[in-house]
Amino acid sequence: MRRFQGVVLALAVLAGGRAHADMVDIKFGGLISSDIRYRLAGATIPAEGLVVPFPSQQRLLPYGFSRNENTIKAQLSLSIASKVKAVADVDFVWYGFSDLRDIDSATLQERVDPYRLEANAAYVDVYRIIPKVDLRIGRQVVVWGTADKFSPTNNLNTLDLSDPLLFGRALANNMVRLDFNPWGDIILTAVWVPIFRPARLPRTAPFALSDLSRPAPVQEDSIREILGTFAAAMPPTTINVATMQPPPSIDNSQVGVRLAGRLLNQDVSLSYYHGRWGLPVPAFTTNKPGGVVDVAVMWPKMDVVGLDLAGSIEKLGGLGYWVEAAVFFPQMVTYGVYNDAFGGHDPITFVPRMDDPSRYTVKIGEPEAQRGTVIPSEPFFKLTAGIDYSWNKYLYTNLQYVHGFIDEFGAGKECYALPGELPGGHTRCERRIGDYLVLGSDIKLFSDQLMIRIFGAFKIPHHDELDPRFTAVLFPQIAWAVWDATELSLGAFVFLGDRATKFGYPAAGATELFLKAKFTY
Amino acid sequence: MRSTIALAILLPAVALADGPSPAEVLQKTDKAMNAFKDGMFESKLRVKQNDGSYREYAFTTYQKVPEKRLVRFSSPGDVRGMGFLVENKETMYVFLPGFQRVRRMGTHVKNQTFMGSDFSFDDMSQTTFGATYEPKGMSQDDKHYVLELKQKAGLDLEFPNLKVWIDKSSFHPTKQEFMDASGKKLKTQIRDGYTYDGKGHHQPGRVLVIDHRRNDHESEIVFSSAKFDSGLPDDLFTQRSLIRGN
C-alpha cells in the first residue's frame, strides 16, 4: 500500500509539475461483497437449444441459481487542495459461473472462473477553472431529477437494468460537464456526451425479441394482425437479433442543459436533453428461408424537456414531496419488413383501404408504401410525483405515483400474446406509458442495525383498457448491520402477473430469492 | 393567564435578589453558544452497543452562525463521503455518494435518529434555546443556573419541557434534561470536558446523550478538534460544495 501511494504521489508530482506530494490528499476505499440468488418459477432463458451468452453455465432455469457473484470494489480519490480532484471507481466482479464451451476452455482460468471489470468512475474535476465554474471530464454519472428512481428527466446516463435489486442504477459514460454557480444554489449545468452508451439489459430481455408468439411491435392494429397472420402461416423457427449501434459521429453526441435553483424555498429545475433512448426498439425484420427471422434493433433519438421540484411541507409535519415531469419528443421508428424467403429481398408494405382507412392491404415490392409504426413521432409525457415521511425513529414511508415506468418509451400501446397462444394468436394491448403506484416502508430497529424493508410497484389499470390484469413487483428484505460497515441482507424480488402483463412477461424477469453480504472499507 | 402575570411580576424580583433573570440567563447562554462566526469541528459519534462496545462514525462539521451547517462523514466505509447540508430549519439536503445525488430532505427527518444514535436531528441542529423555548423558572447552586424551559406557544416539539444546567462563569450548558408535557424525563444530555481557547470560545470535549426510553441507551459525540472564526466561505454551504466533498 505504501509503495502504491508512493507511485501515486510520484505520478502526481511528475504530471502536475507544480504539485507537491504533501499536497495530494489520497483517499482509498471500496467494498467486498457476495451475492447469491435463486430463481423461482421463471422461463428458461435462453430456451433450450439456444446459445447461452457468456458465461455459458449461466442459463436461467425455471428453478435454479441465477446469480453467484463476488465483487471487489476499489475507489481512489486524489485531490489537491480544493482545486483538483481525480476519482476512480472500479468493480472487479466474478460471475461464479463457468464458461466451458469446449475442453480447452477447462484449462483457462478466465473460462473456469470468469470475471469482468466495471468502471463506475474515472474522472478529473477542476474546481473554479474560471470563477464560479467547475469542470469535470471523464467517465461519470450525472444525475438529474428529484424523484426516487423514476426520474423522467434523468437521461444523460443510460440505465444498468442487469440487476433488479440495483433498480435505477446508471451506467457511467465519458462526459464533459460544466457547472456554473453564479450565486447561492443557482446552478447552470451543461453536459456533453460524445459517444452514446446503450443501456445494459437484464439477462432476460432478449426473450422479448426471440419470443415466437409475441405480436409484431407495430401500432396499427390492422398491420399487426396481418403480420400475425403471416407468422401463423409460416411460424418462425429461429429469431436472430442484430443491433444497429449509432456510429461515433458528432451527430450522435448527446447534450444536456439544466438550470436549478430555489423558488419560495422549493427546489426547482428546468432541463433539456438531446440524445437517444437507452433501450433498443425493433426497426427491421427479414424473413428468410426455413423460418429464420432476422430482427434489427436501434436506439431512437429523442429530445426531452423536463421540470422538477422538491421541497418540504411544514404544515404537514415536514412531509417531503417531489414532482418531476418531462415531455419526450421521440424520433419516429417504423418497422421495415422484408421477405427473403423466396430468393429476393422484397419489402412488405401497407396501404390503407379505401373503404376503411384503419384497415390495410399488403403490398410486396413497393417500398414507397407505408410501414408499420413502432414509435410514433407524437410527443409523450412522463411524470413522477411522490411524498415521504418519517413517522418516528423506527418507521419511514415513501409513496410515488409514476406515469411512465423507466423502460417505457413512446406513445401508443404495447401488446402481449395471451398465455398459451401461438404466433398470430390473440393478444392483449395496454397503453405503452402506464400508471403505477410505488410505495414502501423501512422499519429500523436496534439503533438502525436491523432494517426491514418492503417496497412494491403496482400497475394501475387504465379506464379504457379492455382486459385489465393485475401485475406488480414486490421487494421485501431484511438488512442486518452486524457491525461497522458490515451488512448481511436476505430478501426477494417478486414478479406478479401472468405472461400477458408487464411484470409477468418472462422478459421482465422472474422471482428471485437473495442472500448478500457486504463489507465496506 | 393570571398566574403568568404573577410569575412575570415575581421573576424580576428574583432577578434583582439573586442576579440575572431567567430570560437574561437564556439570552447569555444563546449568545455564549454562538460566540463565533464560523466553526469547524472534527468529531466521532459513538453509539454504545449491548455488549458495551461502541460503533463509531467519524465526521467533520462546518458551521456558520446562525443556521448553516455542513456535515461530512469520513468513516466507516459505508457512510464515507455522505454529507448533510442544513441551510436553515426548513432546508436540508443529503448527498449520497453511491448515487452521486443531492436529495432535498423533508424536515420530517427530524423524527429520525442521527445515524441510529440517541441524538436526534434536532439535537444536531440545536444552536439556541431561545428560538424554541421560553423560561418558566430558575434555580441555582454555587456553579450553575438551572433553567426550566417550556416550548413557545404554537410549537409542537418532541420535548415540550427542558431543564438546563448552565455554568455560571461561561454560560455554557453542562447538562440538559428533556421532558414530555407531564414533566417525565425522557432523555438526558451531558456536555463535559470543556476547553477554552483564550479567544472567547468554549468547546465541550464530549456530548453524551442517555435515552431513558431505551433503557438508558447511550450515545456520545467526542470532539477531537475545534477551530473557530477561520473565515469559512459562504459557498462551502451550498449543494455544489456537498457534491465536491472537499
Side-chain angles (χ1 to χ4, degrees):
Chain A
M1 182 63 187
R2 187 171 292 173
R3 180 182 295 177
F4 173 71
Q5 286 188 358
V7 171
V8 170
L9 293 175
L11 284 173
V13 172
L14 286 172
R18 286 175 301 166
H20 297 289
D22 57 358
M23 293 167 61
V24 179
D25 179 28
I26 301 172
K27 289 177 184 159
F28 186 66
L31 64 83
I32 297 167
S33 71
S34 183
D35 184 352
I36 301 168
R37 298 190 203 173
Y38 193 82
R39 199 162 189 266
L40 302 171
T44 302
I45 296 177
E48 292 293 345
L50 296 181
V51 176
V52 181
F54 182 86
S56 56
Q57 194 183 17
Q58 197 182 1
R59 187 186 298 277
L60 299 177
L61 303 175
Y63 293 87
F65 290 101
S66 52
R67 198 173 286 253
N68 188 35
E69 278 182 1
N70 293 104
T71 301
I72 299 176
K73 177 189 276 293
Q75 294 169 310
L76 177 67
S77 166
L78 308 169
S79 50
I80 301 174
S82 56
K83 193 68 187 165
V84 177
K85 186 157 84 171
V87 173
D89 182 328
V90 179
D91 290 349
F92 300 89
V93 185
W94 283 263
Y95 287 92
F97 294 94
S98 294
D99 187 51
L100 305 183
R101 294 172 192 272
D102 50 49
I103 192 63
D104 289 331
S105 308
T107 67
L108 302 169
Q109 172 66 20
E110 63 270 29
R111 303 293 286 276
V112 173
D113 188 13
Y115 53 86
R116 67 176 188 271
L117 192 64
E118 295 181 12
N120 305 308
Y123 61 79
V124 175
D125 277 341
V126 183
Y127 301 125
R128 301 175 190 88
I129 188 167
I130 55 174
K132 302 180 186 297
V133 174
D134 293 344
L135 170 68
R136 175 176 290 181
I137 299 180
R139 180 180 284 247
Q140 59 187 289
V141 172
V142 177
V143 182
W144 285 356
T146 50
D148 263 357
K149 309 284 187 185
F150 300 88
S151 285
T153 67
N154 190 26
N155 296 295
L156 283 156
N157 295 86
T158 53
L159 294 171
D160 181 354
L161 300 168
S162 62
D163 184 353
L165 269 58
L166 301 177
F167 188 82
R169 183 176 117 141
L171 281 179
N173 199 357
N174 227 13
M175 303 183 184
V176 179
R177 170 181 176 161
L178 279 171
D179 287 289
F180 174 48
N181 188 188
W183 183 76
D185 275 324
I186 293 177
I187 302 175
L188 178 66
T189 303
V191 182
W192 176 52
V193 190
I195 305 290
F196 170 73
R197 170 161 299 138
R200 187 172 166 205
L201 303 178
R203 215 169 162 89
T204 49
F207 179 88
L209 292 163
S210 60
D211 177 10
L212 304 179
S213 63
R214 189 176 172 89
V218 295
Q219 293 298 307
E220 297 84 354
D221 293 336
S222 171
I223 295 176
R224 190 169 56 254
E225 286 166 14
I226 292 168
L227 292 173
T229 309
F230 288 171
M234 297 180 291
T237 54
T238 307
I239 297 178
N240 303 311
V241 183
T243 54
M244 298 194 297
Q245 290 186 81
S249 65
I250 189 85
D251 292 346
N252 285 318
S253 289
Q254 301 156 257
V255 291
V257 183
R258 181 178 191 242
L259 178 65
R262 200 174 301 150
L263 206 61
L264 303 174
N265 204 30
Q266 311 304 301
D267 288 10
V268 184
S269 85
L270 282 167
S271 62
Y272 167 73
Y273 166 80
H274 170 78
R276 287 180 185 271
W277 177 240
L279 298 175
V281 299
F284 292 98
T285 182
T286 305
N287 300 304
K288 293 188 164 177
V292 175
V293 176
D294 288 347
V295 175
V297 297
M298 53 96 71
W299 287 264
K301 285 190 171 180
M302 63 179 186
D303 293 271
V304 183
V305 178
L307 167 72
D308 61 70
L309 69 154
S312 180
I313 304 171
E314 300 314 308
K315 287 184 178 172
L316 296 175
L319 182 86
Y321 81 91
W322 53 91
V323 180
E324 184 175 342
V327 179
F328 289 67
F329 299 88
Q331 171 191 1
M332 184 176 184
V333 179
T334 57
Y335 199 50
V337 181
Y338 295 87
N339 184 22
D340 292 6
F342 306 121
H345 185 61
D346 301 319
I348 295 175
T349 50
F350 307 88
V351 290
R353 278 170 33 179
M354 298 292 282
D355 58 331
D356 180 0
S358 69
R359 311 299 299 172
Y360 289 81
T361 54
V362 179
K363 295 290 175 184
I364 299 177
E366 293 185 19
E368 68 280 3
Q370 187 178 334
R371 292 176 174 178
T373 307
V374 180
I375 303 290
S377 59
E378 177 187 341
F380 63 95
F381 176 71
K382 292 173 92 168
L383 175 139
T384 301
I387 52 174
D388 69 344
Y389 191 72
S390 304
W391 300 94
N392 50 44
K393 64 180 80 169
Y394 305 110
L395 180 63
Y396 166 82
T397 300
N398 183 310
L399 172 67
Q400 294 191 98
Y401 161 73
V402 176
H403 178 69
F405 215 70
I406 54 172
D407 61 339
E408 292 174 347
F409 182 76
K413 56 197 165 194
E414 186 75 28
C415 295
Y416 301 91
L418 291 177
E421 290 288 334
L422 296 171
H426 292 98
T427 61
R428 173 183 170 271
C429 298
E430 59 189 21
R431 288 190 177 218
R432 197 176 247 159
I433 302 297
D435 297 298
Y436 303 85
L437 198 58
V438 181
L439 69 162
S441 269
D442 288 347
I443 300 169
K444 294 178 180 176
L445 303 169
F446 307 116
S447 304
D448 291 3
Q449 286 177 62
L450 190 71
M451 183 185 71
I452 300 167
R453 170 173 286 176
I454 174 80
F455 260 75
F458 302 86
K459 181 150 196 190
I460 307 166
H462 199 269
H463 64 85
D464 62 1
E465 271 179 37
L466 294 175
D467 183 13
R469 296 185 178 203
F470 171 79
T471 187
V473 287
L474 298 176
F475 183 22
Q477 71 164 320
I478 296 174
W480 178 27
V482 287
W483 194 243
D484 289 350
T486 309
E487 182 182 280
L488 301 178
S489 53
L490 176 70
F493 203 92
V494 183
F495 289 80
L496 300 171
D498 68 35
R499 60 175 291 145
T501 61
K502 180 172 186 71
F503 300 120
Y505 189 59
T511 297
E512 286 181 317
L513 306 176
F514 66 85
L515 172 65
K516 297 169 91 168
K518 184 172 78 174
F519 176 81
T520 314
Y521 60 93
Chain B
M1 185 59 153
R2 190 171 293 169
S3 63
T4 307
I5 294 168
L7 194 65
I9 295 167
L10 280 174
L11 283 176
V14 172
L16 285 172
D18 300 313
S21 70
E24 285 169 341
V25 171
L26 184 63
Q27 192 180 24
K28 284 187 175 184
T29 302
D30 283 347
K31 194 176 173 188
M33 287 170 66
N34 293 280
F36 55 92
K37 289 177 183 166
D38 61 63
M40 187 177 89
F41 311 92
E42 299 280 355
S43 46
K44 269 188 181 170
L45 168 66
R46 305 176 79 228
V47 185
K48 194 170 185 179
Q49 306 299 295
N50 290 336
D51 63 1
S53 60
Y54 286 86
R55 283 176 186 244
E56 293 190 346
Y57 301 87
F59 60 99
T60 306
T61 306
Y62 303 87
Q63 188 180 339
K64 193 146 194 169
V65 173
E67 288 184 311
K68 289 186 176 178
R69 194 172 285 222
L70 177 72
V71 178
R72 287 185 179 135
F73 285 84
S74 52
S75 74
D78 54 345
V79 297
R80 183 174 44 239
M82 193 167 87
F84 293 104
L85 171 66
V86 179
E87 292 197 6
N88 54 53
K89 274 184 287 185
E90 296 178 4
T91 314
M92 297 183 287
Y93 298 91
V94 60
F95 174 65
L96 305 167
F99 298 98
Q100 282 292 302
R101 182 181 173 201
V102 172
R103 190 180 192 281
R104 173 84 180 256
M105 294 191 294
T107 52
H108 64 85
V109 295
K110 290 177 181 173
N111 297 337
Q112 297 180 3
T113 61
F114 184 67
M115 307 303 288
S117 72
D118 299 291
F119 288 89
S120 66
F121 275 82
D122 273 338
D123 290 332
M124 299 302 294
S125 58
Q126 182 190 35
T127 54
T128 64
F129 294 106
T132 46
Y133 290 95
E134 59 191 8
K136 64 174 182 180
M138 188 175 81
S139 59
Q140 56 182 297
D141 58 27
D142 54 338
K143 289 184 177 174
H144 297 97
Y145 297 110
V146 185
L147 263 182
E148 289 180 39
L149 304 174
K150 63 175 182 179
Q151 69 180 3
K152 285 186 169 174
L155 296 179
D156 183 22
L157 302 179
E158 183 182 6
F159 307 109
N161 294 297
L162 200 58
K163 197 170 178 182
V164 188
W165 280 254
I166 293 159
D167 183 88
K168 281 186 169 176
S169 59
S170 70
F171 281 93
H172 274 265
T174 58
K175 183 179 174 184
Q176 297 172 51
E177 289 180 350
F178 301 80
M179 287 159 285
D180 64 12
S182 69
K184 184 183 175 189
K185 188 169 72 173
L186 304 176
K187 208 158 89 165
T188 301
Q189 185 191 98
I190 293 167
R191 298 182 179 209
D192 56 17
Y194 271 98
T195 53
Y196 180 61
D197 68 355
K199 298 173 187 171
H201 306 127
H202 294 265
Q203 171 63 28
R206 181 182 77 144
V207 179
L208 169 70
V209 167
I210 305 160
D211 193 334
H212 307 299
R213 298 163 296 184
R214 299 174 66 195
N215 294 324
D216 293 341
H217 194 268
E218 291 181 12
S219 302
E220 63 184 17
I221 294 176
V222 178
F223 293 88
S224 56
S225 75
K227 194 174 170 184
F228 296 97
D229 295 332
S230 54
L232 296 178
D234 282 334
D235 71 358
L236 180 68
F237 302 91
T238 61
Q239 294 177 56
R240 281 298 304 150
S241 167
L242 201 55
I243 295 171
R244 283 186 199 126
N246 59 5

